Amino acid sequence: MSSTRRAETFPANTPAASQIFTTVLSHGPLTRLEVARRAGLSPAAVTKAVRPLIEAGYLVEDADEPARPTLGRPANPVRVDGGRALFIGVKVTGDEIIGVLTDLCCRIRLARHAPLPDREPKQVLASVAELTGELLAEAADLGVPVLGLGIAVSGDVDRGAGVVRYSPFLEWRDVPLAELAAATTGLPVTVDNDVRALTVAEQWFGAGVGLSDFAVVTVGAGIGCGLVVHGRVVAGAQGVAGEIGHVTVDPAGPPCHCGNRGCVEAIAGDAAILRRIREATGVEVADTAAAVELARQGDTGAREAYARAGEAIGRGIATVANLLGPERVVISGEGLAAYDLFAEQIRDAFTAAAFGSAAQCDVQTRPLPFEEWARGAAATAIQSFIRADQQR
Amino acid sequence: MSSTRRAETFPANTPAASQIFTTVLSHGPLTRLEVARRAGLSPAAVTKAVRPLIEAGYLVEDADEPARPTLGRPANPVRVDGGRALFIGVKVTGDEIIGVLTDLCCRIRLARHAPLPDREPKQVLASVAELTGELLAEAADLGVPVLGLGIAVSGDVDRGAGVVRYSPFLEWRDVPLAELAAATTGLPVTVDNDVRALTVAEQWFGAGVGLSDFAVVTVGAGIGCGLVVHGRVVAGAQGVAGEIGHVTVDPAGPPCHCGNRGCVEAIAGDAAILRRIREATGVEVADTAAAVELARQGDTGAREAYARAGEAIGRGIATVANLLGPERVVISGEGLAAYDLFAEQIRDAFTAAAFGSAAQCDVQTRPLPFEEWARGAAATAIQSFIRADQQR
DNA sequence: GCCCTTATTTTCCGCCGTCAATAAAAGAAG
DNA sequence: CTTCTTTTATTGACGGCGGAAAATAAGGGC
């Protein structure tokens, strides 16, 4: 009855094998020939790599395809058996933690959240362990093993070391979260920055599938950005990157908590919008929902606050596009609830500020259910499990 | 006597072999053991990979080391024999072309330049061919083969295809420059964007050696930026990246030729500084040298123009640092001649606008002799020859 | 049933890189 | 002067991955 089971490992030791698996994971059912083409390998290599993965149950032959009337031997597509394994993703915010149980394809099976009374590492750890325990129990009912736990935290995180270097929000410094959580849960733990985790989810399972260069911009309390360059998530030399929130868009703009003026976040962050509305209209709006309401009712001051926010975001995205030339930028985050209030301004500001062919970048939006952050955490756990650390 | 010699190829077919060579190239003489450590290979693999490279003359054993009194069998360092092969790099500017003859270590052996009467592709090609011919003749005197030609052009260049997609400066569109130049010179030709070429030179032979994430910022007529992320130069999805010159630093700033206001280039580009001085002082300064002179004499308007330029550059660098978290930023370009006039402002603006640990980024300057652009072109030719396209 | 086409698998082969042992080249010790 | 110690480089056997080509599988059309 002891929980000291040995961690299950993925039967793909070679880079090629995990690349093949990742390809199938991201691109749905694929015939072996298609996999070979995409991965740049010979069909024979794919056959050989796929077999042990099928034997271990991670891949299945997708027999129930509608038989297409095609010449020659019918193809025999393989896909990932999502039900083969489960993962847990946890996002720690300032006042609550959100946990999801996902399958191997990162589809959410179950979501839970729990309030976080205290931000001390010990307390957070206890809450994470409790939530994880609940999800593990559910997984046990399903009879499917849970193979990893991903934890997403805002701030400066060293994923390799599993250490939260500095999280201003939690007021943590150098907390070896992966180690601690592994000890309490008995699971392999991956810790990463929250925006990067979300970016991993987009890269493997979302709007970034198949792209080697794209960006995810999150709009909400803060403005964040995850970058994928050369098919890999950018972590920065110091573990920090994508600080689009503190790109200056107007040196004469409002002061930001970072000490500067006119950062994107100081104009388009939730708090900034509320303050702007208060200053412009005198109305004391309680929260973002009230602000959105006010703006939708046509209040000029509120609408203008959102317009300015949109302009700042658009400029920020243009900056990213000008510097990196991504194929696509995905805008996400809780702030999207107000998207109708600044969509036009984002687009206009982006188009105006994007230089040359950077303007061809495809700017998309994607709604962000509250579990999505936790799903990102699960995606990092899946990634670690497959340890396709090498490439995308 | 015919010049239809078959192009010499590099005897390193495997990724590991070219990685080993690149390591030795960048990190000077190294013992086989050191190479193995750096490249993450076994010593045996290094021995085996090095032998054919020595036999072909690309590597030599560096016998003339000062015998260090050390225990054990003395190490036997190898280094690249720069004199084994030569390369030609050509930079095409608006009114002249600059050519250099470099050795395999990218050391400049000879530099030439020629005026460019006309920007038509045909004319440019003829000039390139003529300059290349002169350098080839010199190389023939040395009895060393020239193994590649690199051409650097500003604008949107598809290096893989060897095509200049769009160069506003030259008014070119979709010119297959590599193919054309290969036909006229008989050399393998690499064409790349000028700033990226410079970045390659820094990455392999300069301030970026050993770094996987850094940036090169060029200050001059335009403000450019080359980025290295994950050990590779960023080319962008559309072949354009690093447009730091058109990052907005002040939406209320002066109009830029790109249609926006307050771009870095609209404040810190040569023309912008001249205009600013004219507006502030009424003095009609003829050129940048005169502007520098005026500022050094203490003219308030001129000094302020440079101060503003420095601030814009510093903000631009901070933006790069915030987004990508590079280990180092190297400032280069002709504009550095005026460095004393804005060094302080660059540093202050960078420090102020860099967020969190991005401020730890090491900002350096590096003078840029006029041949340096052409040397970058040669570096791309060397890179193509070794075809270590895979990694750095 | 035979032929055609396309997908997958099998078989064999080369090659790269590791491992473990060995050689080499000193200085140190006696 | 010989032997030992220490560090570096090399050798040779071995295993495994991935490619090429040939074989096999699995239909549809006739």
Side-chain angles (χ1 to χ4, degrees), chain B residues 14 16 40-42 44-45 48 70-74:
Chain B
T14 126
L41 294 166
S42 70
K48 280 183 248 193
T70 168
L71 214 57
R73 170 176 173 172

Side-chain angles (χ1 to χ4, degrees), chain B residues 49-365:
Chain B
V50 158
R51 197 192 327 271
L53 289 169
I54 288 183
E55 275 165 12
Y58 293 104
L59 294 180
V60 288
E61 302 209 321
D62 205 20
D64 33 79
E65 278 290 284
R68 299 147 304 162
T70 168
L71 214 57
R73 170 176 173 172
N76 203 354
V78 292
R79 61 176 173 79
V80 173
D81 178 9
R84 170 64 178 78
L86 296 173
F87 294 83
I88 294 175
V90 173
K91 154 79 174 176
V92 180
T93 72
D95 52 2
E96 68 170 353
I97 62 178
I98 307 165
V100 295
L101 185 69
T102 78
D103 65 17
L104 183 53
C105 296
C106 214
R107 287 177 298 232
I108 295 176
R109 295 292 186 91
L110 219 62
R112 291 277 174 92
H113 49 130
L116 194 63
D118 177 353
R119 297 175 189 181
E120 281 298 301
K122 199 168 287 182
Q123 174 61 51
V124 171
L125 206 64
S127 299
V128 169
E130 193 186 325
L131 199 61
T132 302
E134 288 177 30
L135 293 170
L136 279 173
E138 300 277 358
D141 289 350
L142 295 171
V144 180
V146 174
L147 300 184
L149 166 62
I151 306 179
V153 176
S154 73
D156 174 359
V157 178
D158 182 338
R159 172 169 169 172
V163 173
V164 178
R165 295 280 176 225
Y166 175 50
S167 174
F169 216 17
L170 294 169
E171 294 168 22
W172 285 9
R173 270 194 194 279
D174 294 312
V175 176
L177 186 55
E179 194 184 318
L180 295 171
T184 54
T185 65
L187 291 170
V189 178
T190 306
V191 177
D192 207 340
N193 167 276
D194 53 356
V195 182
R196 284 206 302 268
L198 196 64
T199 306
V200 169
E202 289 299 316
Q203 181 187 21
W204 280 29
F205 306 104
V209 165
L211 305 182
S212 60
D213 296 271
F214 73 95
V216 175
V217 173
T218 62
V219 179
I223 313 290
C225 178
L227 300 167
V228 171
V229 176
H230 299 143
R232 291 170 53 188
V233 175
V234 177
Q238 273 86 27
V240 178
E243 286 297 347
I244 198 180
H246 298 284
V247 164
T248 306
V249 293
D250 182 3
C256 178
H257 61 84
C258 76
N260 253 302
R261 287 187 157 271
C263 301
V264 174
E265 195 163 308
I267 298 171
D270 284 344
I273 293 175
L274 294 190
R275 176 151 29 80
R276 175 93 189 161
I277 292 177
R278 191 184 332 119
E279 285 170 8
T281 67
V283 179
E284 188 70 49
V285 276
D287 56 14
T288 300
V292 171
E293 181 64 23
L294 192 63
R296 290 221 178 101
Q297 283 167 3
D299 179 279
T300 319
R303 293 195 75 87
E304 199 244 324
Y306 276 102
R308 277 178 50 110
E311 199 186 321
I313 294 165
R315 276 186 199 279
I317 292 174
T319 300
V320 171
N322 286 340
L323 285 177
L324 295 173
E327 276 172 84
R328 179 174 293 164
V329 175
V330 182
I331 308 173
S332 191
E334 311 81 35
L336 275 195
Y339 190 63
D340 55 305
L341 296 170
F342 51 41
E344 197 185 323
Q345 287 81 4
I346 291 179
R347 203 156 288 269
D348 290 351
F350 169 75
T351 308
F355 178 73
S357 55
Q360 289 168 28
C361 170
D362 170 31
V363 180
Q364 295 189 348
T365 60

